[in-house]
Amino acid sequence: MKNSDLKTWGARAAAWSADYLDNLRDRPVRPATRPGDVRASLPAAPPMEAESVETVFADFESLVVPHMTNWQHPRFFAYFPANSSPPSVLAEWLTATLAAQCMLWQTSPAGTEMETHVLDWLRQMTGIGEGWHGVIQGGAGLATLSAILTARDKALDWQSKEAGLFGQKRLRIYASSHMHSSVEKAVFLSGIGRDNLVKIAADDEGAMKADAFQAAIDGDRAAGHIPCAVVAVLGSTGVGVSDRLTEILPIARAEGLFSHVDAAWAGSALICPELRDFARGIELADSVVMNPHKWLMTNFDCSAHFVKSVDDFKKTMSITPAYLMTQDADDITDYSQMTMELGRRFRALKLWFVIRCYGVSGLQKIIRDHVRWTAELADRLAATQGFEITSPPRLGLFSFRIRPATVSDGEALDALNAKLVDAINGDGTLYLTQTVHDGRYVIRVSVGTTGTTADDIDIVYKKIVELAEPLQGI
Ligand SMILES: *Cc1c(COP(=O)(O)O)cnc(C)c1O
């Protein structure tokens, strides 16, 4: 391919993209692909001679696309959204064209300064307060890992950077029982060890119990351990519960613990002032992560990580061999000095395109629609015979199950609801996933795809009721 071929093929890819997104409703959300199907359709060895773009593009359409789970499908209600939008797609193309490495200011001045600036826009949009410095990470899990690594080294006054953890006292990390699995992963990858992750019981609303948190710290100090950090969650993955930051963060402050807030999904809702209540007190945290790649119309990967002390992250992550020295420059940010990554993508460009092309009010409208539709759908199911709401709508998420009058046994109900999920996902009209809540199998509905409309919500309601009907009679 010559550079100038991008004109023809770019136009073709653009047309394909627009048609794909416009016609997604006609495709199943999930393909009927069996494990091994895709590889069986591909040649075992790479081509020795160049193939035409025509052939490769045709194979993309016939061998790849039919075997994709369509995350941008308007009736994708599984997991959490990983949404996108036309301005984001456009910027991603341009990012690939520039193919710049954003490790140092001088390797990409615009990449670096846009990252700082656009995240400061997002800081203003979300109302999280002053004093934050933004960095874009490849995922919330990576932001949480970098926060735990920083908390670890800070607690040991960075001696660990030279000596490792050998001979050190135990570091203790606290999190609610509703934390995301990435917290556990960060704790074992950091060498702190899973035994030192203290899961604090949650109250009836799903928030970490503050007195239990305080008691755990006191007990650990008495045992000679080092209380190191707390990870609070806003919008848990199961049913969307949040810790009460106004209770947890003052304790962390008073006890000298590093605090990290995982708002991977729910954080995007902060752009709507009337939805901010769940995050009250967030300004006291040391570190906060939220994913525009989940619910802010920006395609993966774009995880916004806000930190109070850049210096703490730098002390933990920085390494400066001669070839990475920047000469004659003060007051610059070399992002690779505060992140785990050395080579870094220009991720800020797509967020800049998205914020400008929608405007804050355009993004607010989408999120408000999602939140309203979530509540309306939950209300409709609650009013339908044989259905039960198992966790109330929280932002764009609720859970339900069917509960026929004739079935009371817990395990039989679990099995029946598992059957319903299979029936729904086998049908292809929509895609839902399950979780275990309070020990019981429940079905999650997560509304957050850019292309979802009120009509889709109506179709979903009718389809769920239709597919549940044969199971309701059992
Ligand atoms: C999705 C999610 C994560 C992981 O996010 P990635 O960006 O995929 O790493 C972490 N925490 C919570 C609460 C999440 O919902």
Side-chain angles (χ1 to χ4, degrees), residues 80 138-142 180 182 233 235-237 262 264-265 291 293-294 300 303:
F80 275 139
L142 296 176
H180 188 264
S182 56
V233 65
S236 71
T237 313
D262 176 4
W265 159 71
N291 283 349
H293 71 229
K294 270 187 169 149
F300 192 84
S303 187

Side-chain angles (χ1 to χ4, degrees), residues 148-181:
I148 293 291
L149 294 171
T150 300
R152 175 196 71 184
D153 285 359
K154 187 176 184 170
L156 301 172
D157 199 21
W158 287 276
Q159 295 303 310
S160 43
K161 197 163 176 179
E162 309 310 323
L165 298 182
F166 301 102
Q168 294 290 356
K169 292 181 185 175
R170 282 170 176 264
L171 297 173
R172 306 287 275 177
I173 309 289
Y174 310 88
S176 134
S177 48
H178 290 277
M179 67 176 184
H180 188 264
S181 59

Side-chain angles (χ1 to χ4, degrees), residues 303-376:
S303 187
H305 188 190
F306 294 99
V307 308
K308 286 271 172 62
S309 171
V310 170
D311 212 41
D312 286 349
F313 281 77
K314 269 195 191 159
K315 276 191 194 157
T316 304
M317 310 285 171
S318 70
I319 181 160
T320 328
Y323 51 81
L324 289 180
M325 293 287 188
T326 303
Q327 278 151 16
D328 303 328
D330 295 324
D331 285 335
I332 52 155
T333 301
D334 287 337
Y335 271 113
S336 61
Q337 297 300 321
M338 63 174 290
T339 60
M340 289 182 286
E341 293 173 305
L342 172 57
R344 303 179 71 252
R345 278 162 44 69
F346 187 179
R347 303 183 183 100
L349 192 70
K350 56 193 172 186
L351 187 54
W352 189 60
F353 267 56
V354 166
I355 294 173
R356 294 187 62 192
C357 292
Y358 281 97
V360 177
S361 69
L363 295 169
Q364 287 170 330
K365 181 181 180 319
I366 296 175
I367 286 188
R368 283 176 181 141
D369 280 347
H370 291 165
V371 171
R372 196 179 65 253
W373 294 334
T374 306
E376 288 170 1

Side-chain angles (χ1 to χ4, degrees), residues 25 72-74 84 370 448-453 456:
R25 270 193 185 75
Q72 303 316 307
H73 196 295
S84 180
H370 291 165
T449 305
T450 310
T452 301
T453 65
D456 292 304

Side-chain angles (χ1 to χ4, degrees), residues 219-232:
D220 282 339
R221 281 206 205 284
H225 306 328
I226 303 177
C228 171
V230 62
V231 181

Side-chain angles (χ1 to χ4, degrees), residues 95 105 343 433:
T95 300
W105 179 87
T433 45

Side-chain angles (χ1 to χ4, degrees), residues 370-450:
H370 291 165
V371 171
R372 196 179 65 253
W373 294 334
T374 306
E376 288 170 1
L377 182 57
D379 280 351
R380 261 178 106 178
L381 284 175
T384 307
Q385 178 100 37
F387 282 84
E388 169 179 81
I389 301 303
T390 46
S391 61
R394 295 186 175 102
L395 304 173
L397 176 70
F398 71 95
S399 69
F400 72 95
R401 61 179 180 171
I402 50 169
R403 190 185 189 130
T406 48
V407 186
S408 57
D409 169 47
E411 275 168 32
L413 263 189
D414 288 356
L416 202 60
N417 279 281
K419 264 193 189 163
L420 178 58
V421 169
D422 281 347
I424 290 171
N425 293 338
D427 177 82
T429 307
L430 68 149
Y431 184 18
L432 295 176
T433 45
Q434 72 289 340
T435 191
V436 172
H437 176 54
D438 286 342
R440 298 270 62 109
Y441 186 104
V442 301
I443 305 174
R444 295 167 76 258
V445 181
S446 160
V447 181
T449 305
T450 310

